[in-house]
């Protein structure tokens, strides 16, 4: 559920509150009498020849993406792209007749371009994106005129991707970077709050803070663990009154209330790309992002890694991957108890003292 709540300077609740049901199946969403039902729309929809390639499709994030697409649009042809043939073929078979496996290594340019032939959209989920020096999939998408979207969660990679704007535009290729849940949905939440503040309330945003919580690893697999550990090797970029500042990763703990189902959780500073885009694109002068997990001892572990492991170790992808192989079985075991609940809170403070809070919570990160 996504909730936007505004408070007046004195802290009293404003009479209006917008609540939007999110991630519910079409049948669960109320429709007006004038709107066609989901079933009617499906009956009238013509068969589609559109082909979608999901890179990293045999992984947790890619697999969840492919599953969601197959349910949302059963008429799509979904290509499960992955290096692991055994897992990829098995997963594609489970998706049904409209799906097939394509063996592809994102670091092999010719294999990548061949895989994109005849594809209408490529969804790049084959992370981790940290320490990647090239936007190989995006470049191949522009070259083959294939629409592109990724779930990048790395600041350097996302801004390198933005550098291809003119090339994509000239080729007529729609391309979106950092379009997962956070960053992704979180960016949309921030943009909505900022737009509402300026257009509805006639006030200028002064400070925006992102707060994230995920139970365990959210069931998202080794890639997310690798990403999390590598982020501990990066200085945190934040902004204070228009000035860029550098902070220590997994420091600056705050206890944040995520509402029903989550309640108060500790969150810590991390270097995330939505901070920079909120500052540069939305023009908010003070921005930061914090993340926390559960059980509480995972936060202790993250702090220990940030404080005691050498930065050179945390920035070495191969070494971090070996660390992930060691801790992954324990993480999987704890995930079975902790669950997959995810929550995002975006707080916006304005020049007139007015504050607005956006809150999104879902019981399963994979969904």
């Amino acid at each position: 559920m996504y909730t936007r709540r505004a408070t007046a300077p004195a802290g009293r609740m404003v009479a209006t509150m917008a609540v939007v049901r999110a991630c519910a199946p079409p049948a669960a969403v109320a429709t007006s009498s004038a709107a066609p039902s989901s079933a009617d729309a499906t009956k009238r929809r013509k068969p589609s020849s559109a082909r979608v390639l999901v890179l990293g499709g045999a992984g947790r994030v890619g697999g969840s993406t492919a599953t969601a697409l197959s349910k949302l649009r059963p008429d799509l042809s979904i290509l499960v792209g992955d290096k692991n043939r055994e897992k990829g073929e098995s997963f594609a078979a489970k998706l049904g007749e409209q799906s097939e496996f394509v063996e592809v290594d994102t670091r092999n340019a010719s294999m990548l371009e061949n895989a994109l032939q005849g594809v209408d959209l490529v969804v790049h989920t084959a992370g981790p994106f940290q320490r990647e020096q090239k936007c190989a999939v995006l470049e191949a998408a522009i070259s083959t005129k294939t629409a592109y979207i990724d779930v990048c969660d790395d600041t350097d990679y996302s801004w390198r991707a933005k550098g291809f704007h003119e090339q994509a535009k000239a080729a007529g290729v729609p391309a979106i970077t950092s379009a997962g849940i956070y960053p992704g949905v979180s960016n949309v939440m921030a943009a909505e709050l900022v737009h509402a503040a300026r257009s509805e309330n006639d006030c200028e945003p002064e400070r925006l803070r992102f707060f994230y919580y995920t139970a365990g690893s959210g069931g998202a697999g080794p890639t997310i663990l690798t990403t999390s550990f590598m982020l501990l090797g990066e200085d945190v970029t934040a902004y204070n009154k228009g000035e860029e500042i550098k902070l220590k990763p997994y420091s600056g703990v705050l206890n944040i209330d995520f509402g029903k189902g989550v309640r108060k959780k500790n969150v810590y500073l991390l270097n995330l790309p939505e901070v920079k885009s909120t500052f540069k694109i939305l023009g908010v002068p003070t921005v930061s992002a914090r993340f926390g997990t559960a059980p509480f001892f995972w936060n202790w572990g993250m702090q220990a890694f940030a404080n005691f492991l050498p930065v050179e170790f945390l920035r070495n992808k191969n070494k971090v991957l070996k660390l992930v192989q060691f801790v992954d079985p324990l993480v999987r075991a704890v995930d079975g108890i902790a669950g997959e609940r995810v929550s995002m809170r975006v707080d916006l403070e304005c020049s007139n003292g007015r504050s607005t809070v956006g809150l999104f919570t879902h019981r399963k990160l994979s969904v």
Side-chain angles (χ1 to χ4, degrees):
M1 184 173 72
Y2 172 57
T3 305
R4 190 181 81 193
R5 181 175 72 244
T7 58
R12 59 185 173 81
M13 183 70 71
V14 172
T16 59
M17 187 199 313
V19 180
V20 181
R21 293 294 296 181
C23 295
V29 180
T31 57
S32 68
S33 57
S37 70
S38 170
D40 291 340
T42 302
K43 288 178 183 178
R44 289 200 303 271
R45 185 181 291 145
K46 295 179 179 179
S48 171
S49 58
R51 289 159 59 84
V52 178
L53 171 64
V54 181
L55 293 175
R60 297 288 184 95
V61 178
S64 296
T65 301
T67 299
L69 280 172
S70 67
K71 290 179 180 179
L72 180 70
R73 288 288 303 273
D75 53 327
L76 290 177
S77 294
I78 297 177
L79 309 180
V80 177
D82 206 278
K83 293 187 293 184
N84 190 319
R85 173 172 290 275
E86 184 179 353
K87 284 180 64 178
E89 288 181 340
S90 174
F91 179 68
K94 291 177 182 177
L95 280 182
E97 295 180 356
Q98 289 287 94
S99 302
E100 62 180 283
F101 171 72
V102 177
E103 186 172 1
V104 57
D105 184 342
T106 58
R107 300 192 179 204
N108 184 319
S110 60
M111 181 183 282
L112 190 54
E113 291 209 7
N114 286 337
L116 290 175
Q117 298 300 322
V119 169
D120 298 285
L121 169 68
V122 57
V123 184
H124 183 14
T125 74
F129 293 87
Q130 282 69 24
R131 300 285 175 264
E132 288 295 320
Q133 299 303 312
K134 293 183 64 179
C135 299
V137 179
L138 175 57
E139 292 183 60
I142 294 172
S143 175
T144 56
K145 298 188 183 298
T146 306
Y148 169 93
I149 191 167
D150 69 39
V151 295
C152 166
D153 50 6
D154 181 67
T155 303
D156 290 342
Y157 189 100
S158 65
W159 282 87
R160 191 178 299 117
K162 291 174 188 288
F164 287 90
H165 171 74
E166 292 301 332
Q167 288 177 243
K169 185 177 176 182
V173 175
I176 304 175
T177 186
S178 300
I181 183 166
Y182 57 84
V185 175
S186 58
N187 305 50
V188 178
M189 291 168 65
E192 178 186 337
L193 295 186
V194 170
H195 174 74
R198 287 174 173 152
S199 61
E200 299 172 16
N201 304 318
D202 194 28
C203 64
E204 190 57 28
E206 287 193 336
R207 181 168 75 158
L208 189 143
R209 295 181 295 172
F210 295 96
F211 303 117
Y212 304 129
Y213 164 79
T214 299
S217 71
T223 298
I224 295 299
L225 281 179
T226 305
T227 295
S228 300
F229 292 163
M230 294 188 76
L231 283 172
L232 298 177
E234 298 181 9
D235 287 337
V236 174
T237 298
Y239 296 89
N240 183 39
K241 298 180 179 178
E243 296 293 325
E244 181 180 303
I245 57 176
K246 297 293 185 180
L247 301 167
K248 186 175 178 59
Y250 236 72
S251 63
V253 60
L254 293 177
N255 190 250
I256 299 299
D257 191 346
F258 288 94
K260 185 179 179 181
V262 179
R263 299 304 179 190
K264 291 186 176 182
K265 300 293 180 182
N266 285 346
V267 290
Y268 306 77
L269 287 163
L270 272 184
N271 190 39
L272 298 172
E274 53 269 48
V275 171
K276 187 173 181 177
S277 56
T278 298
F279 175 75
K280 290 188 173 289
I281 308 300
L282 298 182
V284 181
T286 299
V287 194
S288 62
R290 285 175 168 83
F291 165 84
T293 184
F296 61 90
F297 52 77
W298 284 152
N299 290 319
W300 293 354
M302 294 283 279
Q303 283 183 304
F305 285 168
N307 289 324
F308 300 115
L309 287 181
V311 171
E312 294 75 18
F313 179 96
L314 293 168
R315 292 180 179 178
N316 186 311
K317 187 178 289 188
N318 290 329
K319 289 183 178 179
V320 171
L321 285 170
K322 289 180 180 177
L323 175 63
V324 167
Q325 289 177 353
F326 177 74
V327 302
D328 187 58
L330 176 61
V331 172
R332 296 277 77 79
V334 175
D335 275 358
I337 302 169
E340 294 183 33
R341 191 174 293 273
V342 62
S343 189
M344 304 182 291
R345 173 172 164 164
V346 182
D347 287 22
L348 179 66
E349 299 170 21
C350 293
S351 54
N352 63 357
R354 186 184 180 92
S355 298
T356 314
V357 174
L359 183 65
F360 177 99
T361 296
H362 198 284
R363 63 185 179 85
K364 296 192 74 173
L365 174 64
S366 57
V367 175

